[in-house]
Amino acid sequence: MPASVPVPVLTARGLSAGYGEGGPAVRDLDLDLCPGEIVTLLGPNGAGKTTTLLALSGALRPRTGVVRWAGRVTTAPLHQRARAGLALVPEDRSVIMELTVRENLRLGAADTDLALETFPELAGHLDRRAGLLSGGQQQMVALARALARRPAALLADELSLGLAPRIAERLLGVVRAAADGGLAVLLVEQHVRSALAVADRVIVLRHGQVAWSGPAEQARADPDVLVGAYLPLA
């Protein structure tokens, strides 16, 4: 029998979104995100990667197009999509610096035991204020809080930004393991090599539109396809 086609948990069709009265930062985007896979969004600064995450999460209202969650059209705001099983880890890490690690986890309705199972490194810091942690530890708290709610999909923006390669590898390894367990992941990442190491599929955005998409295996084997996608048209 032929293999069954996975059912996307999150889809977008003709998605356009932007800010203020300017033109859209992302235009006519089609995207499917299925359980068990990591889709990596690549592209130069200003390509529309973060805008895409915000529009898909409900933090930014699309100008045109349709977003579906679990097969149903949704216009719900972020907090409602979060309750339905969508997790967003934004670029700014979103930990509350004045609260302890334990309080940050509780605020996110996270399972503390599962969070520590994911990142045992945090066990000795539960009662320490998040503002006293290193940047890598803060990112662990943000990611642990998201994953410990057992979401169906994770949207993560620049997990490795400003972090040492060893810490970035640790974070991306956790995301890969979560995807192998059935989580659907959309990952924005500037470090192309690190992103390709964990991705199943790649979408390259340029000027708010898809410049290239395909299997990560193809991008790893033929880096020229990414170089061509990043470069402006002649």
Side-chain angles (χ1 to χ4, degrees):
M1 296 178 61
S4 59
V5 177
V7 178
V9 65
L10 182 65
T11 65
R13 292 292 181 269
L15 183 70
S16 296
Y19 311 93
E21 296 181 357
V26 60
R27 299 187 295 277
D28 299 321
L29 177 70
D30 292 342
L31 182 145
D32 294 307
L33 186 63
C34 295
E37 71 168 352
I38 296 178
V39 177
T40 295
L41 276 180
L42 300 175
N45 290 336
K49 304 184 298 294
T50 294
T51 302
T52 298
L53 291 194
L54 295 178
L56 291 172
S57 71
L60 177 67
R61 182 179 294 276
R63 294 185 178 182
T64 60
V66 172
V67 175
R68 288 184 175 88
W69 173 258
R72 296 185 176 182
V73 174
T74 180
T75 58
L78 173 58
H79 69 276
Q80 291 182 5
R81 296 187 202 190
R83 292 191 192 121
L86 187 147
L88 172 67
V89 178
E91 183 180 335
D92 60 6
R93 295 177 189 157
S94 70
V95 296
I96 299 179
M97 300 299 181
E98 294 77 16
L99 298 183
T100 66
V101 170
R102 191 189 308 272
E103 290 167 338
N104 268 280
L105 294 173
R106 287 177 178 171
L107 188 65
D111 181 329
T112 302
D113 290 338
L114 182 56
L116 295 181
E117 182 180 325
T118 304
F119 287 109
E121 301 96 318
L122 296 176
H125 301 284
L126 282 176
D127 296 311
R128 191 178 185 192
R129 285 196 297 114
L132 299 177
L133 302 180
S134 68
Q137 290 168 331
Q138 290 173 5
Q139 195 69 302
M140 288 181 187
V141 173
L143 183 56
R145 184 175 61 191
L147 295 178
R149 291 177 47 246
R150 296 180 174 87
L154 169 70
L155 310 183
D157 195 359
E158 300 288 7
L159 286 178
S160 67
L161 186 65
L163 302 181
R166 178 178 59 85
I167 301 300
E169 183 178 348
R170 174 81 174 100
L171 293 166
L172 293 175
V174 165
V175 172
R176 180 66 260 177
D180 290 341
L183 183 67
V185 179
L186 183 61
L187 178 69
V188 168
E189 181 59 56
Q190 283 191 340
H191 297 288
V192 175
R193 184 174 299 176
S194 299
L196 291 180
V198 299
D200 298 293
R201 290 193 290 122
V202 175
I203 298 173
V204 180
L205 295 181
R206 188 179 66 230
H207 302 310
Q209 294 183 298
V210 175
W212 184 85
S213 65
E217 182 179 1
Q218 180 182 353
R220 289 191 292 266
D222 184 10
D224 286 344
V225 301
L226 295 185
V227 173
Y230 271 76
L231 293 175
L233 295 174

